[in-house]
Amino acid sequence: MAERVVVCIDDDTMVLDSLRMELGGRIVGCRLEMADRGVDALELVDELLAEGVEIPVVVCDYFLPDIRGHELLKRIHRKTPATFNILLTGQSDHAAIVAAINEANLYRYIAKPWEAEDLILTVNGAVESFDRDRKLAEQSRQLRDSEARLRAFVERAGDGIVTIDVAGIVQSANPAVSRLFGYDLDEIIGCNIGMLMRGEDALVHDGYLSRCAATGRSTVLDISREVVGRHKDGHEVYVDLSISEFRVGDALYFSGIMRDIGPRRRLEQLHAEKELAEEQARAKSAFLATMSHEIRTPMNGVIGMLELLEATDLDGEQRNLLSVCRDSARFLLTIIDDILDFSKIEAGKLVFETAELAIDDLVFSVADLLASRAWAKEIELVTFVDNAIPPVLRGDPARLRQILINLVGNAIKFTAQGQVSVSVSLRERAGEAARLRFEVTDSGIGLSTEQQARLFRPFEQADAGTTRRFGGTGLGLAICRRLVEMMDGAIGVTSTPGAGSTFWFEVPLPVAEGASERPDLTGIRILLVAQNAAFLSAMTRGLTAAGAVVEAVESWQEAQRQVPAAAIVGTPVHLVVVDDGPAALAGAFSEFGTLGAEAVAGVPVLLMARRDRGAISRVQRRTGATWGLTKPARPYLLLQTVAVAVGRAAPETIDQVMHRFGGAQAPVETVADLPFSGGRILVAEDTPTSRLVIDKMLQRMGLDPVVVENGAAAWDAFRAGEFDMLITDCHMPEMDGFQLTTRIRAHEAEAGGHLPIVALSAGVLQEEKARCFDCGMDDFLAKPVESAKLRQVLYRWLPVASRPSEAATADSPAAAPAPAPAPAPAVAAATADAAPAEDGWPVLSLSIYEELFGEITEAVRPDVRGLLGAFLDSAVELKEAIADRHEARDAEGLRRASHRLVGAALSAGAVELGHLCRRVETQSAAGIADWQAVAALVKDVETAFGRVRDAINAV
């Protein structure tokens, strides 16, 4: 509480002493302050007020030397209006005193001399009045504040608040009512509340008010209920209404609080729709899982049995029919996978994983997978990965690979000739994220603007003829678009009809910690022998980014001239890198030995050959190259091989780079057909067809399968014998794969050991795979089981002693080749005599037979002759068909016949004949303007056929 002071003012010191004596200690809660002049009194009041002191009473003499008392009190009143002022006077003029009191708005006056008791009572009464006025002022302030808060609450309330009388006339309403119903407040106040109701409700409401006023009974007071009002524009307004009554005097009023429940009703509707959609999604997901299992299970039998049948003895027609069946089955499986993927996306069941990934590994894996498909169409497949991309990123490698496989697969499908290139560049680097741009460019049929506009829609292709000609569901690109968008990326296409297309997508990927493993090639000069512009560009960009200086020539002859010349001028070449010819040349260097370092002044030679040319070690031996590397090559491996070849790195570093790519993985080529060295496999599968398929596959791989029909039988077999692996179906009668795995893992927890368990399931949902791993399984095989995938799993989990092996795998570089064994004399003579000098193609190459049988000995010579004889039998008919179509001037027929003989000849090792037939095919496909020139080519084919026939007879 603030300090309080009573101020006494008089110029007579005796009077001041008397006041001090009589009032001192007798004024409740106050002390005294004295002043003998007006100016001193004003200064005293200012000081007290500045210090926050309250002045309840001022007692002042009427006559002061510097100012009249009532004038002084007027000034004090202006400074502190709440103060009660008392005038002391000895003047007998009563009228003058009354005038002074009125003029100065004084509380009272006391005549001199005074009675002490009267003085004390008067001053204390003034103090009490001061306290009473201050309390009333505080109460008034609080009341005003309360009214202001209430008014603000009502004005700003989100709920509508309205007051009506017993006649239903609106007495007051807040702005929320206006917002809720669309009327201005002036339109509502003074009108019947029925204007805010629907017509039928308004009539009922008026009667209700009358009955309530008459009887005093109500069924709706003090309860909350939902009602429907009417907006100014006519639409319905849903509100939650609570009504109460109050009286002002004898008048009865009703107040209503209206809460807008329209959003809540819409939310409830959305919630109901959401629950319905979730129920439909659950049903869709269940249907998806069921159909996945039901469709893929029989497909497992179909594809598996076709693979086994393909390994049996079949004649040519049977093998062709089987090939059609196999390709159709795989195409059907692709369609099924597309539909299942799209269904998972639509059902919101597609789960993205996050793992570390290397972009060059990703691109290589896609190129390696699809290279054979491109080569089968004589299309060159070229890859490039920007060295500026961080070596390790984080993302979902499986989904990125799925997008790339779709785009590259489409590019190969719609390209008849030329090339397909895949490039990845760093778009931008922002902090810990990198935005990458993937581009797949082809030289195919191209797309019009209209076709591009609908290309990424589900179940749509460029035109109706596309499906008939090339097949497909039209889902692939739609799936790609959804996957990219789910990764916060963008996808698109630029294309010109007849000039090819570039499909691109960009995605942001977080950067993971990882040091660059790229070697430094600064100062290394490399001469690149290549004819394909895309391959040349990709190689140049990659090697240059590592610091190398790259020059290019188109032929080996140019390289032989340029290497010595460069050494003379002081810019020596450190390595010659030779591309095994563009696809159209079907291997310009891999068929004969001309690439020794001695041919280029002792400079080491790195040959890059397609995988379908054979094992790189054998290709290297045939050509005499110092180093060999298969295409497509991993960028890291290419740079490391170059570094080793020029002495910048030790040879063992290549093994370190190879180890980086996944440790114990089954080699791609040379190990693929080698048997395992024993291994006992327990198989639990309830479907008879699947049991037969996997049993035959395992037997062909050199393994010992024990096949049972359910989990219970597998459990008994497990307890009775020793096994190296268990492959179990997930869904079986009596005991399923999950229960079997749980039981085995519980047994191992007590007895020790760990049996590798591989799930075998037609279910492809992420939940199915997660359930397999959660219960303790080690790996997952999706039905239909393909032998290559089965081999990969076996290689991953079987003991090292059981795995197949070979000195050089298809993916690793080969070096320091041993001299190739001399060919059989008859073949060597035939080749040397018949090879055209201007082309250097051998008449007959036995490399393919060395791949199949090893060294051509007398023991295997009959088998080789049998294969060559079969080729001659078919080639005679094709050669005659070429002559017939030429005589008939049938360009398309000539192209088809020559194309068939190209494949047959090159597959059989008749290199010269194959290349000559390709020239005929190329001329025919381009449209024949000069039939005389074609006649000369056809004659060359006839001559080459005679030479290869003689060479075959000499084997």
Side-chain angles (χ1 to χ4, degrees):
M1 184 175 179
E3 183 182 8
R4 301 197 298 180
V5 171
V6 172
V7 177
C8 299
I9 309 167
D10 200 304
D11 59 333
D12 188 340
T13 57
M14 293 181 61
V15 172
L16 290 178
D17 290 340
S18 177
L19 290 171
R20 183 179 293 109
M21 181 179 63
E22 293 175 356
L23 297 179
R26 291 184 175 88
I27 308 302
V28 180
C30 297
R31 63 180 177 86
L32 300 179
E33 288 286 348
M34 305 297 178
D36 57 3
R37 292 191 311 160
V39 63
D40 294 337
L42 291 174
E43 290 178 357
L44 174 62
V45 169
D46 287 339
E47 290 175 1
L48 292 174
L49 293 177
E51 294 172 359
V53 176
E54 291 181 346
I55 305 174
V57 180
V58 174
V59 179
C60 181
D61 185 24
Y62 181 75
F63 291 106
L64 294 173
D66 55 349
I67 191 174
R68 292 289 186 183
H70 67 283
E71 291 291 338
L72 175 61
L73 291 177
K74 283 198 297 182
R75 293 186 184 184
I76 293 175
H77 177 73
R78 287 196 290 270
K79 294 177 181 292
T80 169
T83 299
F84 284 77
N85 298 317
I86 300 174
L87 188 64
L88 293 178
T89 181
Q91 186 173 344
S92 59
D93 187 350
H94 181 75
I97 296 300
V98 171
I101 291 174
N102 293 332
E103 180 183 352
N105 194 23
L106 302 181
Y107 170 66
R108 187 167 296 180
Y109 80 95
I110 298 176
K112 295 179 181 178
W114 59 78
E115 294 290 336
E117 189 68 26
D118 290 341
L119 176 64
I120 295 171
L121 288 175
T122 300
V123 173
N124 273 324
V127 172
E128 290 176 2
S129 297
F130 175 85
D131 290 340
R132 183 174 57 255
D133 287 355
R134 188 182 62 178
K135 185 178 296 184
L136 288 175
E138 178 63 20
Q139 291 174 344
S140 297
R141 185 192 64 77
Q142 291 178 354
L143 181 59
R144 288 193 302 273
D145 290 347
S146 176
E147 289 176 349
R149 286 193 298 270
L150 179 60
R151 187 178 303 107
F153 168 76
V154 172
E155 294 293 324
R156 299 177 184 178
D159 294 339
I161 302 174
V162 64
T163 302
I164 62 173
D165 60 17
V166 293
I169 303 302
V170 178
Q171 304 298 307
S172 65
N174 68 342
V177 177
S178 175
R179 292 193 299 270
L180 191 59
F181 291 95
Y183 292 95
D184 292 337
L185 290 180
D186 292 342
E187 297 178 274
I188 299 174
I189 297 174
C191 296
N192 193 287
I193 191 68
M195 67 181 297
L196 305 180
M197 302 179 183
R198 294 183 301 185
E200 60 273 19
D201 293 337
L203 295 175
V204 173
H205 186 264
D206 287 342
Y208 172 80
L209 286 177
S210 301
R211 288 192 300 275
C212 180
T215 63
R217 294 193 302 270
S218 172
T219 60
V220 297
L221 290 178
D222 301 321
I223 62 172
S224 178
R225 61 194 181 99
E226 292 186 7
V227 298
V228 182
R230 184 184 62 189
H231 194 272
K232 184 177 181 179
D233 63 13
H235 76 261
E236 293 183 340
V237 178
Y238 295 91
V239 297
D240 186 273
L241 176 63
S242 177
I243 302 175
S244 59
E245 65 176 12
F246 64 96
R247 290 182 179 273
V248 177
D250 295 332
L252 178 64
Y253 296 94
F254 300 93
S255 65
I257 299 177
M258 296 175 283
R259 173 163 295 176
D260 183 8
I261 60 172
R264 189 184 77 189
R265 288 178 63 92
R266 287 191 293 272
L267 186 61
E268 290 172 350
Q269 182 180 0
L270 290 174
H271 182 70
E273 293 174 354
K274 175 177 175 289
E275 289 186 340
L276 177 61
E278 289 175 345
E279 180 62 31
Q280 292 173 341
R282 286 191 291 270
K284 191 174 184 178
S285 179
F287 174 78
L288 176 66
T290 302
M291 292 308 297
S292 168
H293 185 275
E294 296 300 323
I295 293 174
R296 295 178 70 90
T297 296
M299 288 302 297
N300 177 51
V302 172
I303 294 179
M305 293 303 293
L306 288 174
E307 286 190 5
L308 293 174
L309 183 59
E310 191 174 21
T312 63
D313 293 331
L314 301 171
D315 60 31
E317 183 179 3
Q318 291 171 329
R319 193 167 296 280
N320 289 337
L321 294 174
L322 179 61
S323 176
V324 173
C325 291
R326 182 196 61 223
D327 292 344
S328 298
R330 288 178 176 170
F331 178 63
L332 176 59
L333 185 62
T334 300
I335 293 176
I336 292 170
D337 287 340
D338 280 350
I339 294 174
L340 293 178
D341 263 351
F342 189 75
S343 299
K344 282 189 285 185
I345 293 174
E346 290 296 299
K349 291 292 182 178
L350 196 67
V351 178
F352 280 83
E353 298 178 352
T354 300
E356 291 188 353
L357 60 93
I359 293 300
D360 55 352
D361 293 353
L362 180 73
V363 173
F364 170 82
S365 67
V366 173
D368 191 57
L369 176 67
L370 300 177
S372 297
R373 192 186 304 179
W375 296 335
K377 299 180 67 175
E378 300 298 352
I379 296 170
E380 191 75 5
L381 181 58
V382 180
T383 63
F384 170 75
V385 177
D386 187 354
N387 283 356
I389 294 175
V392 185
L393 300 169
R394 295 188 62 80
D396 190 330
R399 294 305 172 190
L400 287 171
R401 186 178 292 109
Q402 180 180 359
I403 297 168
L404 271 181
I405 288 174
N406 191 285
L407 297 183
V408 177
N410 280 349
I412 295 172
K413 181 197 300 186
F414 295 108
T415 301
Q417 59 183 4
Q419 62 195 25
V420 172
S421 63
V422 184
S423 68
V424 190
S425 58
L426 179 63
R427 194 69 169 178
E428 63 177 337
R429 174 78 180 267
E432 296 303 314
R435 188 173 185 86
L436 305 187
R437 183 179 179 90
F438 296 76
E439 292 186 352
V440 178
T441 302
D442 63 64
S443 56
I445 59 178
L447 298 162
S448 66
T449 303
E450 294 76 12
Q451 291 170 334
Q452 295 176 43
R454 62 174 182 269
L455 201 59
F456 292 96
R457 300 173 187 169
F459 303 103
E460 290 210 20
Q461 293 191 332
D463 53 53
T466 300
T467 302
R468 293 192 297 270
R469 183 179 174 189
F470 297 101
T473 61
L475 278 176
L477 290 178
I479 293 172
C480 288
R481 178 179 65 83
R482 296 293 294 273
L483 290 176
V484 170
E485 290 174 349
M486 292 170 76
M487 288 188 261
D488 297 325
I491 189 170
V493 61
T494 58
S495 181
T496 302
S501 306
T502 296
F503 282 82
W504 61 268
F505 68 95
E506 294 183 4
V507 289
L509 296 174
V511 178
E513 295 183 1
S516 175
E517 301 176 32
R518 298 179 178 88
D520 182 12
L521 300 180
T522 302
I524 300 300
R525 291 185 178 86
I526 297 174
L527 182 62
L528 181 57
V529 183
Q531 295 180 350
N532 183 274
F535 177 82
L536 177 61
S537 173
M539 287 287 292
T540 301
R541 291 165 68 188
L543 293 170
T544 302
V549 177
V550 181
E551 295 185 14
V553 295
E554 290 189 356
S555 69
W556 176 245
Q557 290 76 15
E558 290 181 77
Q560 289 177 298
R561 292 191 296 269
Q562 186 159 329
V563 171
I568 292 173
V569 298
T571 56
V573 173
H574 300 100
L575 179 67
V576 178
V577 178
V578 180
D579 177 25
D580 188 23
L585 295 182
F589 303 107
S590 62
E591 299 299 337
F592 52 95
T594 62
L595 302 181
E598 64 277 3
V600 283
V603 174
V605 177
L606 169 60
L607 173 65
M608 299 188 66
R610 288 178 6 186
R611 192 175 64 244
D612 60 343
R613 306 296 189 224
I616 189 61
S617 57
R618 295 194 180 102
V619 173
Q620 184 189 351
R621 286 197 300 269
R622 289 197 302 269
T623 60
T626 319
W627 294 85
L629 195 60
T630 55
K631 295 193 306 180
R634 298 180 189 270
Y636 279 5
L637 185 58
L638 169 63
L639 296 179
Q640 193 65 37
T641 303
V642 171
V644 172
V646 300
R648 283 286 179 91
E652 56 266 21
T653 58
I654 291 179
D655 295 331
Q656 296 170 5
V657 173
M658 288 300 299
H659 180 71
R660 171 186 179 278
F661 299 119
Q665 294 183 358
V668 177
E669 179 187 7
T670 54
V671 176
D673 296 321
L674 296 178
F676 286 82
S677 303
R680 198 156 183 252
I681 312 298
L682 177 58
V683 179
E685 169 61 65
D686 64 321
T687 306
T689 304
S690 296
R691 286 202 302 272
L692 177 60
V693 168
I694 199 166
D695 183 39
K696 293 296 184 183
M697 284 184 175
L698 292 172
Q699 287 184 34
R700 282 179 53 81
M701 294 178 187
L703 297 165
D704 178 21
V706 175
V707 183
V708 297
E709 62 184 14
N710 57 53
W715 170 250
D716 294 338
F718 166 77
R719 299 184 64 185
E722 295 289 334
F723 295 94
D724 296 302
M725 181 184 291
L726 165 63
I727 300 175
T728 178
D729 188 16
C730 292
H731 305 282
M732 298 178 291
E734 295 192 40
M735 183 188 295
D736 62 26
F738 305 112
Q739 296 168 325
L740 173 61
T741 301
T742 302
R743 183 172 292 188
I744 290 175
R745 295 299 183 231
H747 173 79
E748 291 172 341
E750 298 179 0
H754 183 87
L755 176 68
I757 301 178
V758 178
L760 182 64
S761 176
V764 293
L765 292 181
Q766 190 66 31
E767 292 88 340
E768 176 91 351
K769 295 181 181 179
R771 186 182 176 191
C772 292
F773 292 119
D774 288 344
C775 77
M777 297 184 187
D778 299 292
D779 216 325
F780 186 92
L781 269 174
K783 294 180 180 178
V785 177
E786 298 180 19
S787 57
K789 294 179 180 178
L790 175 60
R791 179 175 287 272
Q792 291 281 339
V793 170
L794 292 168
Y795 194 91
R796 191 153 47 237
W797 294 105
L798 282 180
V800 174
S802 299
R803 296 177 189 158
S805 62
E806 180 167 292
T809 71
D811 195 27
S812 61
V827 178
T831 303
D833 292 342
E838 67 274 14
D839 293 316
W841 291 318
V843 172
L844 180 63
S845 171
L846 295 182
S847 60
I848 185 174
Y849 306 103
E850 293 174 357
E851 298 273 352
L852 293 172
F853 303 107
E855 185 179 355
I856 308 299
T857 64
E858 291 302 323
V860 301
R861 196 174 296 276
D863 294 328
V864 175
R865 286 173 177 164
L867 293 173
L868 290 170
F871 159 68
L872 278 181
D873 292 340
S874 62
V876 169
E877 296 180 4
L878 294 174
K879 176 182 67 67
E880 292 175 352
I882 289 175
D884 292 342
R885 293 301 91 205
H886 172 259
E887 185 177 351
R889 296 294 192 266
D890 178 5
E892 177 59 23
L894 180 61
R895 185 196 64 78
R896 288 196 299 266
S898 57
H899 175 77
R900 293 181 62 193
L901 189 50
V902 168
L906 293 178
S907 298
V911 180
E912 180 197 24
L913 179 61
H915 284 297
L916 290 172
C917 289
R918 172 164 284 117
R919 289 182 175 178
V920 176
E921 178 190 7
T922 303
Q923 289 279 350
S924 304
I928 299 175
D930 185 359
W931 282 96
Q932 292 299 321
V934 175
L937 289 176
V938 172
K939 186 176 180 180
D940 288 342
V941 168
E942 183 76 31
T943 304
F945 177 78
R947 281 197 291 265
V948 76
R949 181 179 55 203
D950 294 340
I952 289 173
N953 291 334
V955 173

